[in-house]
């Protein structure tokens, strides 16, 4: 159960929501491949880059914090953000990214709502 007052647990919920949302678009990938993509799976690398971009840009988690949280080099975080930014010029990619980001936000808010016990009030 998520403690909505714990910053660390909220960050973990954000990470989970972003990975799950990215994986939902790349449904042929295992979640483990999105979290730690094999060298030869470029779609898994892109899925992780999208998740990292959502964490950095949409959820406004500082890159230094992301590097520590995900156990990645800060250059990896910066590279992921830049790669996704470069692809945003393609309208098809931009729409897909928007759907993934919206799904990540929905998953995170659902986790917070469930943790707060508000789903019974609705």
């Amino acid at each position: 159960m998520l403690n909505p007052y714990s910053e660390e647990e909220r960050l973990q919920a954000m990470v989970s929501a972003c990975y799950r949302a990215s994986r939902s678009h790349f449904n042929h990938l295992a979640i483990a491949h999105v979290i730690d993509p094999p060298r030869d799976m470029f779609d898994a690398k892109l899925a992780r880059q999208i998740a990292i971009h959502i964490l950095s840009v949409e959820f406004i988690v500082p890159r230094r914090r992301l590097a520590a949280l995900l156990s990645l080099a800060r250059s990896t975080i910066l590279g992921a953000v830049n790669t996704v930014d470069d692809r945003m010029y393609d309208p098809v990619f931009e729409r897909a990214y928007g759907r993934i980001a919206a799904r990540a936000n929905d998953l995170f808010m659902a986790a917070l709502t469930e943790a707060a016990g508000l789903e019974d009030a609705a």
Side-chain angles (χ1 to χ4, degrees):
M1 173 71 66
L2 169 70
N3 177 358
Y5 301 106
S6 167
E7 181 181 10
E8 189 61 35
E9 288 186 33
R10 281 194 320 271
L11 283 171
Q12 288 296 335
M14 285 179 196
V15 169
S16 174
C18 290
Y19 280 144
R20 288 173 45 212
S22 188
R23 193 243 166 235
S24 72
H25 186 77
F26 296 88
N27 57 9
H28 61 286
L29 296 173
I31 192 74
H33 290 155
V34 175
I35 294 169
D36 187 20
R39 283 177 108 34
D40 60 338
M41 293 183 72
F42 296 109
D43 49 351
K45 289 179 184 180
L46 179 59
R48 180 173 77 170
Q49 289 170 338
I50 290 171
I52 289 170
H53 190 277
I54 293 169
L55 283 164
S56 179
V57 175
E58 306 292 330
F59 285 118
I60 314 172
V61 178
R63 291 181 191 150
R64 184 173 293 212
R65 184 76 189 260
L66 274 178
L69 185 66
L70 302 176
S71 300
L72 296 171
R74 286 189 357 216
S75 61
T76 303
I77 303 296
L78 181 61
V81 171
N82 288 340
T83 297
V84 174
D85 282 344
D86 290 345
R87 286 178 165 251
M88 286 294 201
Y89 294 109
D90 180 8
V92 175
F93 181 85
E94 187 177 16
R95 284 192 303 273
Y97 174 86
R99 288 190 302 272
I100 296 168
R103 175 107 170 109
N105 189 45
D106 290 346
L107 289 169
F108 176 66
M109 292 309 293
L112 283 182
T113 302
E114 179 183 335
L118 297 177
E119 71 276 355
D120 296 331

